[in-house]
């Protein structure tokens, strides 16, 4: 029988990976909490309609990457490809609770049917944060500063660089799109079929065409920056002032548009300086002031970001895997006696791995050594009949025979003695 393997683009996290990821998640959660963000958990499945318009009918995510299905009740559902729209839905549905500004963070798997490669998966994990209810640029700046702090906490600050752009308002972008359409129609003969097909739908996507002759037309295309009004310019200028004041370097890039349609004003990405890695964007986000109304909610401006946990975990140095404190070996002790001893130790906060699979004492102790355990807990028939166990410190061979009632206390003492 051939082995049934995992689904392409979806991978297992083995225990060492999980321990490493949990350490990264814990650091991030602590950082977010310092800025007043509380965790929200939304379902992994949502109505397909929730995503289509909000992410953009012409985006790759909606056009070809969603895992959508009709469930037995006839509802059109999708695995979430991202969590900003679900989070805003949840806040609208449940009402804002925290004085009109809700700061929330989330973590969990997202699903996009992309072409898998290193750093790009079909099930990938994001950690993200959203601040919903306030249009003040202080929020945008605070999130960027929080991320800079997070990179410091993770020790990856030197590997990343911040890119910022201003996407203006929906009206300013609509003006710009019209001007782009006029420009591309005027030069239609120089465009390839793919670009021509995008003029009506989403002319912005022509901007990242790799075709040389299309690029020439793109080079002379009207810029969004020239369509931005004073209010838009002031908003992003004030964000830039605040992050500069916090000592954060950034570059401005007018080609940064992000892959989803709900953004306006501030958008930003943290990218790897070493761009030899193919998937170089670690984190992306920005403001989405019209999103709540698009899903039928009240006018609730918002700003947020998400980082790829698969990519962040690969960037952060792995701490060594914690070893269990005690390894329980037996030379004839009964199962129930061994269980009592192990539980006694665990109740006192020590971690215990029980040897399974037999073998003589030397073989079992070798295993304990290989696990990097501090103490071997030896249970033989003599120990059992005396209501005792032998504790053996593996680094220097020091050993003591103690009553089970004193095993936890003695084990702790023996560990302190070696530091
Ligand atoms: P996004 O740029 O689509 O934004 O994704 C954010 C991050 O998720 C990316 O920078 C990347 O690190 C990671 N990511 C995306 N796709 C994959 C993949 N296939 N495999 C591995 N990692 C991936 C959003 O999702 C927005 N919701 C961010 C946001 C929050 N904007 C405002 N609030």
């Amino acid at each position: 029988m051939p082995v049934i393997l995992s689904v392409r683009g979806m991978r297992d996290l083995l225990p060492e990976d999980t321990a490493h990821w949990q350490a990264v998640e814990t650091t991030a959660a602590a950082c977010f909490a310092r800025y007043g963000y509380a965790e929200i958990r939304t379902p992994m499945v949502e109505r397909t309609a929730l995503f289509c318009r909000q992410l953009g009918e012409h985006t790759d995510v909606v056009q070809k990457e969603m895992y959508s299905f009709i469930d037995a009740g006839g509802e059109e559902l999708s695995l979430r490809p991202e969590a900003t729209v679900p989070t805003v839905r949840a806040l609208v549905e449940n009402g804002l609770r925290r004085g009109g500004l809700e700061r929330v963070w989330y973590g969990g798997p997202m699903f996009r049917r992309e072409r898998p490669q290193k750093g790009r998966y079909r099930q990938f994990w994001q950690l993200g944060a959203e601040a919903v209810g306030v249009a003040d640029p202080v929020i945008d700046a605070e999130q960027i500063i929080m991320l800079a702090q997070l990179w410091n906490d993770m020790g990856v600050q030197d590997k990343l660089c911040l890119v910022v752009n201003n996407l203006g308002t929906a009206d300013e972008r609509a003006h710009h799109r019209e001007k782009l359409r006029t420009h591309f129609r005027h030069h239609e003969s120089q465009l390839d079929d793919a670009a021509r097909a995008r003029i009506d739908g989403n002319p912005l996507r022509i901007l990242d065409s790799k075709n040389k002759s299309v690029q020439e037309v793109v080079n002379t295309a009207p810029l969004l920056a020239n369509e931005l009004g004073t209010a838009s310019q002031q908003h992003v200028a004030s964000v830039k002032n605040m992050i500069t004041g916090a000592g954060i370097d950034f570059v401005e890039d007018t080609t940064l548009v992000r892959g989803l349609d709900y953004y306006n004003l501030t958008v930003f990405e943290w990218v790897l300086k070493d761009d030899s890695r193919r998937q170089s964007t670690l984190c992306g986000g920005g403001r989405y002031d019209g999103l709540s109304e698009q899903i039928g909610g009240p006018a609730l401006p918002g700003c947020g970001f998400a980082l790829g946990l698969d990519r962040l975990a690969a960037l952060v140095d792995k701490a060594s895997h914690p070893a269990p404190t005690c390894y329980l070996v037996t030379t004839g002790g009964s199962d129930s006696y061994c269980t009592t001893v192990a539980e006694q130790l665990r109740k006192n906060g020590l971690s215990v791995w029980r040897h399974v699979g037999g073998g003589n004492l030397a073989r079992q102790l070798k295993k304990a050594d290989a696990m990097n355990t501090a103490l071997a807990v030896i249970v033989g028939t003599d120990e059992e009949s005396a209501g005792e166990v032998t504790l053996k410190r593996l680094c220097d061979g020091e050993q003591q025979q103690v009553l089970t009632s004193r095993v936890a206390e003695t084990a702790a003492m023996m560990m302190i003695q070696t530091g």
Side-chain angles (χ1 to χ4, degrees), residues 325 372 374-375 393-396 398 410-419:
T325 319
N372 254 335
L375 299 173
R393 192 159 60 202
L394 292 170
C395 64
D396 59 4
E398 159 76 17
T410 314
M413 194 67 78
M414 286 175 79
M415 285 188 320
I416 292 169
Q417 281 165 1
T418 55

Side-chain angles (χ1 to χ4, degrees), residues 81-84 106 112 114 119-122 124-126 129-130 258 260 262-263 269 281-286 288 303-308 310-311:
E82 60 95 70
T84 305
Y106 51 79
R112 296 183 195 173
E114 293 193 73
R120 197 206 280 156
Y121 307 98
R122 291 180 170 178
F124 59 97
W125 269 256
Q126 283 186 343
E130 315 290 347
R258 309 276 301 123
L260 308 167
Y262 48 60
Y263 292 106
E269 284 185 355
T281 306
L282 178 67
C283 173
Y288 46 83
C303 187
F305 64 82
L307 63 88
D310 304 76
R311 296 180 191 178

Side-chain angles (χ1 to χ4, degrees), residues 292-400:
S292 166
E293 284 160 285
Q294 272 182 33
I295 61 174
L300 285 177
C303 187
F305 64 82
L307 63 88
L309 187 51
D310 304 76
R311 296 180 191 178
L312 178 60
L315 209 60
V316 174
D317 290 336
K318 254 191 194 166
S320 58
H321 197 49
T325 319
C326 306
Y327 195 86
L328 190 142
V329 304
T330 173
T331 51
S334 70
D335 277 344
S336 65
Y337 187 68
C338 288
T339 303
T340 309
V341 171
E343 287 310 307
Q344 178 90 8
L345 288 160
R346 291 181 186 126
K347 267 189 208 127
N348 283 279
L350 299 166
S351 58
V352 184
W353 277 33
R354 194 164 158 179
H355 178 82
V356 284
N360 61 22
L361 183 62
R363 187 170 162 253
Q364 295 186 49
L365 287 176
K366 209 168 159 196
K367 228 10 214 299
D369 225 14
M371 306 279 331
N372 254 335
T373 321
L375 299 173
V377 182
I378 305 166
V379 183
T381 36
D382 289 352
E383 278 97 347
E384 181 167 354
S385 49
E388 295 181 343
V389 300
T390 299
L391 290 174
K392 182 181 172 86
R393 192 159 60 202
L394 292 170
C395 64
D396 59 4
E398 159 76 17
Q399 64 180 59
Q400 290 188 36

